[in-house]
Amino acid sequence: MTQTYPEFIWHNGAIKPWAEATTHVMAHGLHYGSSVFEGIRSYKTPRGAMIFRLQDHLKRLSNSARIYSMAMPYDQAQLTAACRAVMQANKLEAAYLRPVAYLGLGGFGLAADCPTEVAIAARPMGAYLGEGVLEQGIDACVSSWQRCAPNTIPAGAKAGGNYLSGQLIAREARRLGFGEGIALAHNGLLSEGAGENLFLVIDGALHTPPVAASLLNGITRHTLITLAEQAAGIKVVERDLPREYLYLADEVFMCGTAAELTPIRSVDGRQIGGGSMGPITRRMQQLYFGLFDGSTADRWGWLEPVAG
């Protein structure tokens, strides 16, 4: 598949042509997965181009680096300016931002002292799981791969190495003809999707696995919990959930920066509800995308202008 890349990228403190953002093939991050990253969206709104929850994403980037004792050479204000700069350099409004920090060339041991390199890319991005899925939904399956157990790899860090698990889950789902995979935690209870958090609608309430279920505490997850409780009056329950609740739920959806809010119409070939987007999923979609078209008031200060 031919890829079209943006003209510019921010790399190690400067805007430069995309092709010049290079690193050595013996960089620590390439061999050992020693990287942390974020996925951030900007939207074209009635008030201009806005980056969604930029400060929360950059704070999590810093926290992920701290968990792995990775020294960050740039502070949050510098990274904020860099995100704006790369958007403006590429003349983008609606886009996907990818900040990544990784250990570069240094020693070759696992605990080697290596410099931290940082890059931020920005490029247009449509629906992550395919065109039309935000309305039509996807067919999902429970993966044969489980998430890591607590005190093995920290699921709370958005680290590159964690996504080896997600690759196994996603590739298995695609090979079997499904739109996405759903993982169980080490104890056999529900965790999350390959790269998305999970919500079930049961008797009018939103149910979602707790952060202790080997999942990333997603910023979109937190957004939807806040919107449900504070804007829609929908009860949210964070609880352990067995696999079979997927088959019994009235509605199921996934969420994440890339996936946004994607309905799930079937799991393991079992139809969920009426087999199409349910009323609560639709309401949550309206509230979420309403933040960007102006129909949902941004009472939480989540939108940050690209122009600064």
Side-chain angles (χ1 to χ4, degrees):
M1 181 183 296
T2 302
Q3 291 286 339
T4 301
Y5 299 109
E7 186 175 359
F8 298 106
I9 188 170
W10 187 94
H11 183 222
N12 290 337
I15 295 289
K16 59 180 67 173
W18 180 273
E20 293 181 12
T22 59
T23 193
H24 201 280
V25 294
M26 297 308 293
H28 196 279
L30 179 61
H31 293 259
Y32 299 122
S34 44
S35 66
V36 296
F37 71 96
E38 283 295 320
I40 310 168
R41 277 195 190 256
S42 69
Y43 290 88
K44 185 177 180 180
T45 81
R47 295 190 289 141
M50 294 283 181
I51 305 176
F52 186 57
R53 299 195 67 169
L54 176 60
Q55 300 310 316
D56 294 316
H57 280 285
L58 293 179
K59 181 179 179 180
R60 188 172 64 183
L61 181 72
S62 175
N63 287 341
S64 296
R66 185 181 308 169
I67 289 171
Y68 280 97
S69 301
M70 183 185 299
M72 287 291 287
Y74 305 98
D75 62 24
Q76 190 154 324
Q78 291 172 308
L79 293 175
T80 296
C83 287
R84 289 173 172 160
V86 75
M87 288 279 296
Q88 292 168 340
N90 288 297
K91 298 180 173 60
L92 294 171
E93 291 183 309
Y96 180 83
L97 285 152
R98 168 56 60 85
V100 59
Y102 57 95
L103 296 185
L105 182 64
F108 296 107
L110 287 169
D113 185 17
C114 301
T116 302
E117 300 193 37
V118 183
I120 303 174
R123 60 184 302 183
M125 182 181 191
Y128 174 64
L129 293 175
E131 293 302 319
V133 301
L134 295 178
E135 175 64 32
Q136 300 165 13
I138 62 168
D139 301 307
C141 66
V142 175
S143 178
S144 65
W145 295 98
Q146 291 185 321
R147 288 297 195 196
C148 57
N151 212 33
T152 55
I153 296 175
K158 194 172 177 68
N162 289 11
Y163 284 77
L164 289 171
S165 167
Q167 289 178 55
L168 291 170
I169 294 163
R171 291 179 186 278
E172 178 184 54
R174 304 301 194 279
R175 177 173 56 81
L176 296 175
F178 294 95
E180 189 58 295
I182 296 171
L184 304 180
H186 71 288
N187 56 6
L189 301 177
L190 289 179
S191 178
E192 60 180 352
E196 310 89 4
N197 290 128
L198 190 65
F199 283 88
L200 285 66
V201 178
I202 302 172
D203 295 332
L206 288 179
H207 294 248
T208 190
V211 294
S214 298
L215 56 85
L216 181 71
N217 188 10
I219 290 172
T220 308
R221 175 183 183 272
H222 176 265
T223 298
L224 295 180
I225 290 172
T226 303
L227 289 173
E229 294 179 332
Q230 299 183 23
I234 297 172
K235 182 180 179 181
V236 180
V237 183
E238 295 185 63
R239 57 176 291 201
D240 288 330
L241 291 161
R243 172 180 179 165
E244 62 267 24
Y245 274 48
L246 289 169
Y247 314 140
L248 303 176
D250 302 310
E251 305 171 38
V252 181
F253 62 85
M254 287 178 162
C255 71
T257 295
E260 298 172 302
L261 197 163
T262 302
I264 297 176
R265 61 194 178 200
S266 73
V267 178
D268 295 337
R270 296 168 169 86
Q271 180 175 298
I272 305 301
S276 60
M277 189 189 314
I280 291 182
T281 302
R282 186 172 298 280
R283 177 61 176 147
M284 294 309 303
Q285 261 200 9
Q286 291 169 344
L287 287 169
Y288 181 72
F289 289 111
L291 290 164
F292 317 122
D293 67 21
S295 59
T296 300
D298 179 20
R299 294 155 39 192
W300 305 273
W302 287 334
L303 298 174
E304 188 167 329
V306 171

